[in-house]
Amino acid sequence: MAPYASDDSTTAGEVDEQRSGRRKAARYVVPVTVIGVAAATIGLVPALADSGDPDLPKITAQQLIEKIAKSDVQQLSGTVKISTDLGLPNLGGLESGLLSGAAGQGDGGSSAEPTAKLTELASGTHTLRVAADGPDRQKLSLLENAAEYSIIHNGKDVWGYDSKSNEVYHGTSSESPERGTDRQPPATPKDFAEEALKAVDDTTSVTVDGTAQVAGRDAYKLVVKPKQSGSTVGAISVAVDAKTGMPLKFTLTPASGGAAVIDVGFTKVDFAKPAASTFDFTPPKGAKVTEEKDAGQGSQKAPGKAPGTAFGKGGAREHAPKAGEDFGKGLDGMKTIGEGWNAIATFDTGGEGVPSGGAGGDLGGFMDSLGDKVHGEFGSGTVFSTRLVNALVTDDGKVYAGLVTKDALVKAADAGK
């Protein structure tokens, strides 16, 4: 593979001119703001194929991002394999049980409600069948042992069906351009790629790293890396279909090495129009049907999303957070320290931190076993870690969290004193 250089000669004015000349991205594409990223962050040397990889025309990272943004795939069917390894502690099923309970069981009690099932994608390996026919028809099925959970969007209707419990959840889609996609989880490479590319700014390196074959299709490999040290993100690789420009595979590897934190890709894909019957659904005989309005959701209100996801209309941030910027509308006083991949969200709970050791009794000992005690100029606290996200809770109730190392959190807490 060849090295890729950046073109530092492109001016901000030229970048603005490039941005203004591009059409607004349609459905199923990366937002047009991605194309306007500063040219200094993008490798402009064309990729060369490795021996044995598809021999495709040379392309630069800028051109490949434009190809993704211009992609308008609206019809497809296929199989997706998704593996997630956040490195969460194994608590004998407690983790998955808490996630499932928090996500949906309290809102309607139906196991067919989308949020009651979609948190399962947050850990382990799963196989999904997906199909789409424009903005009005999509279907996603989570395949389990001798069971299947499906979300079907067909026109104004959104159905959730759990074959294991024989329960059905029925709602209606909004009138927004996303029509019903707010009910579907981040489950395809496109979903994850969109979010990753929104984070591209001048703290990011973007290059093309050769070619590959995914699901029998020729693809280019786009690689996104933080330029800064201190982030837990090592690299993001996106395999982009050479013909359609649609992402076929997304892989996020941590800076610490080892297996991917998120690996999602098509194993089969077909861009032909799916049969209309694919999106037909009638509740099976004897199934328990829960209507959205009966679950207290309201006829136009989408069920809540799985914890940690921000996909769907208005959910995803359009840029990396800037220093001092409000990080969320629902948490008063939440700010960010730093920028780009090293951004740290911080807020004050007003509490007394995490119970610890003897002072916290059995609970304190349990919390100590989940986190690492740290000390600094700020005092002391506990760091709770996954392979991607770390969070420091100080003994005086302040929280620092981000895609950064433990040392970066301690440094931020010290600076805040």
Side-chain angles (χ1 to χ4, degrees), residues 44-245:
L44 297 178
V45 176
L48 302 177
D50 288 336
S51 176
D53 287 333
D55 186 11
L56 297 172
K58 296 178 181 179
I59 193 169
T60 67
Q62 179 76 21
Q63 291 168 336
L64 188 52
I65 286 181
E66 291 178 5
K67 189 177 185 71
I68 297 171
K70 291 176 182 177
S71 175
D72 190 18
V73 173
Q74 301 213 20
Q75 297 173 338
L76 65 84
S77 57
T79 304
V80 174
K81 181 179 179 181
I82 178 170
S83 297
T84 309
D85 181 8
L86 291 172
L88 297 172
N90 185 350
L91 302 178
L94 177 61
E95 166 205 331
S96 59
L98 288 175
L99 284 174
S100 296
Q105 297 301 323
D107 289 333
S110 172
S111 66
E113 185 181 353
T115 51
K117 294 294 294 185
L118 300 186
T119 52
E120 294 183 14
L121 300 180
S123 63
T125 298
H126 304 275
T127 299
L128 307 171
R129 280 203 302 257
V130 297
D133 182 13
D136 290 322
R137 284 174 290 278
Q138 301 95 33
K139 181 176 181 179
L140 182 150
S141 297
L142 171 61
L143 308 182
E144 301 172 320
N145 293 331
E148 180 177 317
Y149 173 77
S150 295
I151 303 174
I152 305 101
H153 169 220
N154 192 349
K156 65 181 179 63
D157 293 307
V158 178
W159 298 94
Y161 174 59
D162 185 355
S163 69
K164 185 176 182 179
S165 64
N166 199 27
E167 293 190 44
V168 174
Y169 189 90
H170 178 231
T172 55
S173 64
S174 67
E175 295 301 320
S176 71
E178 284 77 11
R179 290 192 196 99
T181 59
D182 50 2
R183 309 304 182 89
Q184 302 209 21
T188 68
K190 175 187 70 71
D191 296 329
F192 289 96
E194 284 181 356
E195 296 306 306
L197 290 176
K198 285 175 184 176
V200 170
D201 61 8
D202 58 6
T203 69
T204 311
S205 165
V206 185
T207 58
V208 182
D209 190 19
T211 64
Q213 269 217 337
V214 177
R217 297 185 65 88
D218 294 346
Y220 294 102
K221 294 188 293 185
L222 186 72
V223 176
V224 178
K225 292 182 178 180
K227 285 183 176 181
Q228 307 158 303
S229 61
S231 174
T232 55
V233 176
I236 293 171
S237 176
V238 182
V240 181
D241 186 59
K243 185 175 181 179
T244 67

Side-chain angles (χ1 to χ4, degrees), residues 6-78:
S6 294
D7 183 358
D8 293 321
S9 63
T10 304
T11 67
E14 290 170 337
V15 172
D16 289 338
E17 184 177 348
Q18 292 171 3
R19 181 188 297 115
S20 64
R22 294 182 173 84
R23 68 178 178 84
K24 184 179 180 182
R27 174 162 160 68
Y28 292 106
V29 301
V30 174
V32 74
T33 53
V34 173
I35 303 176
V37 67
T41 71
I42 296 186
L44 297 178
V45 176
L48 302 177
D50 288 336
S51 176
D53 287 333
D55 186 11
L56 297 172
K58 296 178 181 179
I59 193 169
T60 67
Q62 179 76 21
Q63 291 168 336
L64 188 52
I65 286 181
E66 291 178 5
K67 189 177 185 71
I68 297 171
K70 291 176 182 177
S71 175
D72 190 18
V73 173
Q74 301 213 20
Q75 297 173 338
L76 65 84
S77 57

Side-chain angles (χ1 to χ4, degrees), residues 337 344-347 390-394 398-402 409 412-413 416:
I337 300 171
I344 296 172
T346 179
F347 63 95
N390 290 319
L392 164 62
V393 183
T394 66
K398 294 183 176 63
V399 177
Y400 300 83
L409 293 176

